[in-house]
Amino acid sequence: MRGPMADQQTGTEVDIEAIAATARAGLAAADDEAALESWRVAQLGRKGVLTSVLRQLAGLPIEERRRIGAEANALKTELEAALESRRLSLAGERLAATVAGGQVDVTLPGRTKRVGRLHPITQTLREMTDIFVSMGFAVTEGPEVETDYYNFGALLIAPDHPARDMQDTLYIDYQRDGAYPFMLRTHTSPNQVRFMEQHQPPIRVVVPGRCYRNEATDPTHEWMITQIELLAVDEGISLADLKGTLFEFAKRMFGQERKVRFRCDYFPYVEPGVDMSIDCFLCGGEGCRMCHNEGWIEIMGAGMVHPQILTNMGYDAERVTGFAAGIGAERVCLLRNGIEDIRSFYQNDLRFLEQF
Ligand code: FA5
């Protein structure tokens, strides 16, 4: 580096060589973190020596500015690197002193950090949701504690309707006028009504979420399940749209080779109602404990939205029609991975969960 430059503001000369020498000596003398930090502030900080040199460059003739600027920048890079290396060597010295003092046993095995992952049902639910989103469905959510009206009444399941027996319900322990008005939702279907109350057709929406039933559990039945509700309402929607959408979903989820079966089923809020099953992965359709000797495992209930519900929502049921479906994520995950007992999902056994 060459000679001093004139300081434009003070008239004094700035000697880069001298600045470099002072800075290097200061760094060599700094022997702990606090000293290193004050050195950094004094030399490289916003108001540090080097920064003020760089600020003064503007007032110099172009040739001088280039030369001094280059020298000052080179010094800055050198000092930053020197700071980092001094920091490391001080840390090394500290560690060596600790080891020598017998405070650290470097022969002990390291502690492995356990990396978490998403629960298999969360992974499955996200994959299912993504398939429907790619078909143009939006995503919404609803409450897990429901009212009698949304869980049953608005879906045409009156208090004395036998369909209430299809979903053994966990009620909240709170009574009003001799009745229990709140429950853990037994399915995601209440969100059909919740969404239609707030929106006009055309509607294409999916609602993923937890549901609860007072089930006697077995290899394909849990008391806490995860469903995804599907709802499409528009002019000209037919059962063919329902089948097309669900076939496409099944193909993407399970592959072309898996067999899919549609059968008539009864749900008061659809007309007609169907259920969709996939052939049993365990017995290939022969019949076994897994599929209750049926050869098929049901994964969803579905159907055309009942015209009475469309009318109740204020829609013109002569003009618009719709389809709806409720799919169980546990059953989908079970079938895709050949899992023999649905209860494994919620037993918190890491040997099982870490396979996903
Ligand atoms: C219903 O829950 C209807 N709400 C579905 C529906 C929606 C019908 C829209 C018509 C229109 P279902 O009780 O069959 O239906 O349950 C639907 C799916 O949830 C089942 O096919 C299954 O995949 C899953 N499921 C239901 N109960 C259980 C359970 N106890 N354990 C595991 N999965 C279950």
Side-chain angles (χ1 to χ4, degrees), residues 18-226:
I19 292 175
T22 317
R24 287 182 197 125
L27 185 60
D31 55 3
D32 61 21
E33 259 311 313
L36 283 182
E37 183 56 15
S38 9
W39 177 90
R40 188 194 64 77
V41 172
Q43 301 300 327
L44 301 166
R46 242 171 359 108
K47 295 184 180 156
V49 180
L50 217 50
T51 316
S52 69
V53 170
L54 289 166
R55 280 212 191 101
Q56 291 162 30
L57 291 176
L60 294 177
I62 182 88
E63 278 306 307
E64 277 287 273
R65 198 190 309 163
R66 274 212 193 107
R67 185 176 62 76
I68 310 267
E71 286 178 6
N73 274 322
L75 179 61
K76 186 165 180 249
T77 313
E78 177 205 314
L79 293 181
E80 281 168 351
L83 172 65
E84 204 38 50
S85 106
R86 181 88 184 112
R87 234 184 214 138
L88 285 175
S89 81
L90 281 178
E93 280 169 27
R94 268 200 312 273
L95 182 63
T98 324
V99 173
Q103 294 155 31
V104 172
D105 180 355
V106 288
T107 62
L108 280 177
R111 284 185 207 139
T112 348
K113 283 221 166 75
R114 301 189 74 151
V115 181
R117 68 194 76 202
L118 292 174
H119 189 278
I121 295 305
T122 307
Q123 292 181 33
T124 308
L125 194 65
R126 289 192 182 179
E127 227 178 297
M128 293 163 71
T129 309
D130 283 350
I131 292 177
F132 291 118
V133 166
S134 79
M135 294 183 196
F137 285 80
V139 185
T140 185
E141 285 183 320
E144 289 184 21
V145 174
E146 257 309 355
T147 60
D148 192 275
Y149 171 73
Y150 284 111
N151 200 78
F152 292 128
L155 294 169
L156 312 181
I157 312 174
D160 53 357
H161 198 293
R164 290 212 175 195
D165 291 345
M166 289 157 73
Q167 301 179 351
D168 203 353
T169 308
L170 295 160
Y171 285 89
I172 303 289
D173 190 10
Y174 166 77
Q175 252 182 312
R176 197 161 59 197
D177 303 329
Y180 292 91
F182 302 115
M183 64 203 59
L184 295 178
R185 67 177 173 197
T186 54
H187 51 175
T188 41
S189 297
N191 297 293
Q192 293 181 29
V193 176
R194 285 186 176 277
F195 196 83
M196 285 191 277
E197 278 177 348
Q198 304 288 332
H199 299 84
Q200 287 298 313
I203 289 171
R204 276 163 191 68
V205 71
V206 289
V207 195
R210 283 269 151 80
C211 310
Y212 305 84
R213 296 183 187 183
N214 186 20
E215 291 278 5
T217 62
D218 67 27
T220 55
H221 289 84
E222 252 296 1
W223 67 270
M224 178 177 77
I225 55 172
T226 316

Side-chain angles (χ1 to χ4, degrees), residues 167 187 189 192 213 215 220-222 225 227 229 267 269-270 298-303 324-328 331 342:
Q167 301 179 351
H187 51 175
S189 297
Q192 293 181 29
R213 296 183 187 183
E215 291 278 5
T220 55
H221 289 84
E222 252 296 1
I225 55 172
Q227 288 190 341
E229 191 79 10
F267 303 95
Y269 36 99
V270 287
E298 183 202 307
I299 59 162
M300 70 173 89
I327 315 169
R331 294 263 176 93
I342 200 169

